[in-house]
Amino acid sequence: MDQTPDQPAQPDPPRPAIYKDLPLLQLTALTFVLDQFTKFLVRELLELRESFPAEGFFRFTHTFNTGSAFGLFQDQNFALILASIAGITVLTLIYQSQRRPTNLLRLSLGLQLGGAAGNLLDRLRMGHVTDFVDVGPWPIFNLADASIVVGLILLVWIFISPGQAREQAEPQAETTPGNGETPALAHTDAEVCESREESTPASPESPDPQPQDASPASEDQELPRRSDTPQAGE
């Protein structure tokens, strides 16, 4: 079967721009607004170190944190500002690296971007982050911290999931410029045509020669043989 000449490689589709992804931007803005609104309510309604209720496993306790999550890197405000900017940049690059961002990826990045922006604004305005969610012995945190942690868990799940790896490895179908078929479809049609040609019977216009009914040698065998022995009376 004749080999089909190689088609020129199709250019890769343009990468999506994050500023054009409306669902991702809406989720980021919603996370950011909820974080800032809850911090504002805590600062207005609770005095510093005050808790509501006064006792219990789950409380709202007004406090602040000059470090990162879990009280690490205390009084390192400038370094943490740079780390927040670097984190936002990395998340943006992760989005740009995807050909077709999924809704789960949008959810993960939206939570992390909104949380990182909320804590970054606190550090720029006040030099510290307002915390208020007090759960048992766990360190006090805020909605931005919770959003970042949940988004990070989702991001890890996306990249270690077998379905995600299969989707990344699956090549996209490219259209052939000549007839508008994909290479896979064209190859399938060629195989079907070849199998039909092999299964087609011979044409009735060229019948096979029929064998002769009798050969001359068979006729001679049917004649009585002449005897060379002289008969009596000759």
Side-chain angles (χ1 to χ4, degrees):
M1 185 173 58
D2 296 339
Q3 297 292 335
T4 304
D6 295 337
Q7 299 294 338
Q10 298 293 331
D12 293 336
R15 302 288 182 175
I18 191 171
Y19 61 87
K20 295 182 180 179
D21 195 327
L22 186 58
L24 175 60
L25 296 180
Q26 290 176 338
L27 180 59
T28 302
L30 178 62
T31 305
F32 174 80
V33 170
L34 287 178
D35 173 68
Q36 291 297 304
F37 180 67
T38 52
K39 291 174 179 176
F40 170 77
L41 291 179
V42 168
R43 289 192 296 265
E44 292 293 324
L45 300 178
L46 295 177
E47 297 292 336
L48 188 62
R49 308 297 181 183
E50 182 183 359
S51 299
F52 176 81
E55 296 180 357
F57 181 80
F58 180 83
R59 301 179 298 170
F60 295 105
T61 301
H62 182 193
T63 184
F64 65 89
N65 182 12
T66 59
S68 63
F70 309 112
L72 302 175
F73 308 107
Q74 293 292 324
D75 300 324
Q76 300 294 327
N77 189 58
F78 180 74
L80 293 175
I81 289 175
L82 295 181
S84 298
I85 296 174
I88 293 174
T89 303
V90 170
L91 294 175
T92 304
L93 294 177
I94 291 175
Y95 178 88
Q96 295 295 139
S97 67
Q98 303 299 307
R99 294 182 182 273
R100 292 175 297 176
T102 62
N103 291 331
L104 189 60
L105 180 64
R106 290 187 177 94
L107 176 61
S108 171
L109 297 183
L111 290 174
Q112 294 183 79
L113 289 172
N119 282 343
L120 178 60
L121 181 61
D122 282 3
R123 299 185 191 281
L124 292 174
R125 289 177 57 246
M126 300 178 295
H128 60 263
V129 174
T130 300
D131 291 333
F132 59 92
V133 182
D134 190 359
V135 181
W138 196 264
I140 303 175
F141 58 96
N142 53 44
L143 289 187
D145 298 334
S147 299
I148 293 173
V149 171
V150 173
L152 184 60
I153 293 174
L154 289 177
L155 187 63
V156 173
W157 166 255
I158 289 172
F159 284 100
I160 68 174
S161 174
Q164 176 70 15
R166 191 182 309 113
E167 181 179 354
Q168 294 295 332
E170 180 182 3
Q172 295 182 348
E174 297 179 356
T175 303
T176 304
N179 53 8
E181 295 178 348
T182 60
L185 294 177
H187 180 68
T188 304
D189 294 341
E191 292 179 351
V192 172
C193 294
E194 183 179 357
S195 62
R196 288 181 178 176
E197 291 177 358
E198 293 177 355
S199 61
T200 303
S203 174
E205 296 180 359
S206 57
D208 296 336
Q210 299 295 332
Q212 297 180 0
D213 296 340
S215 62
S218 62
E219 294 180 356
D220 295 340
Q221 293 176 359
E222 293 179 358
L223 295 177
R225 297 183 60 184
R226 182 178 178 181
S227 176
D228 295 336
T229 306
Q231 301 294 330
E234 289 186 0

